[in-house]
Amino acid sequence: MADAKNGSWKRFDAEMKWYERIRDEVMAAAEEAGVSMRQQLRLELGFEEVLVNIISYAYDDPGYVWLKTSEEGDCFRIEFADHGKPFDPLEKDCRPPDDMPLEKRKPGGYGIFLVKKNFKSVEYKYEELFGQMANHLSLLLDKE
């Protein structure tokens, strides 16, 4: 995956034991693509949010996650795909209301909000990939 310009899909077991290896490959591709250190931090946070959610919630039984990185001009794209339960993370805002007291707020709901805030674009499709219907999430990040 280190060749960001290539843009080919790579399959991984959707298990936490592979998280660091997958992250390292994505970050190496970002560095090779010339993504600034500041933007690499944003990429890593968004990557973690998406991948951990796929690993934790997409499948009842073991499954796979596919990742692809590519360069698009002054941007770096990372795409995630899984054959888990259909789930559009962009469908609704899961954050608690801003006026809710902190002690009444439940954890969660901020991850996809931060992803949407830190990336140039975030797109979701439920479409056929690799012979079955799949969740397909694409994140586009400015390199600088």
Side-chain angles (χ1 to χ4, degrees):
M1 183 177 298
D3 182 7
K5 291 181 182 185
N6 184 357
S8 59
W9 288 99
K10 188 165 182 185
R11 186 180 84 170
F12 299 92
D13 291 334
E15 297 178 37
M16 280 305 294
K17 69 181 181 181
W18 297 110
Y19 173 84
E20 287 183 20
R21 176 177 170 219
I22 300 167
R23 182 203 58 214
D24 291 349
E25 287 194 34
V26 167
M27 298 312 294
E31 187 171 344
E32 181 180 303
V35 176
S36 71
M37 286 305 295
R38 180 177 61 92
Q39 291 297 81
Q40 284 185 40
L41 292 173
R42 289 182 174 162
L43 172 65
E44 189 167 5
L45 288 172
F47 166 82
E48 179 179 350
E49 173 65 23
V50 174
L51 185 60
V52 168
N53 281 335
I54 291 170
I55 290 170
S56 300
Y57 304 114
Y59 297 100
D60 292 326
D61 297 315
Y64 300 103
V65 60
W66 286 261
L67 277 91
K68 176 168 67 167
T69 60
S70 56
E71 290 183 63
E72 296 180 19
D74 292 338
C75 295
F76 180 80
R77 182 177 298 278
I78 180 167
E79 297 178 63
F80 300 82
D82 67 77
H83 293 141
K85 299 172 204 117
F87 178 71
D88 181 353
L90 308 178
E91 187 174 65
K92 64 180 182 176
D93 189 346
C94 297
R95 294 176 300 147
D98 290 336
D99 60 352
M100 181 183 282
L102 288 176
E103 61 274 3
K104 292 192 178 195
R105 294 182 186 195
K106 294 179 183 170
Y110 287 96
I112 199 65
F113 167 76
L114 292 173
V115 170
K116 289 179 353 185
K117 181 179 166 120
N118 285 315
F119 285 78
K120 185 173 186 171
S121 75
V122 180
E123 300 168 349
Y124 171 83
K125 294 177 188 171
Y126 188 66
E127 62 185 353
E128 188 173 326
L129 286 172
F130 320 113
Q132 340 178 199
M133 294 304 289
N135 296 294
H136 180 192
L137 187 68
S138 179
L139 311 177
L140 187 66
L141 181 72
D142 286 320
K143 290 182 187 179
E144 291 297 320

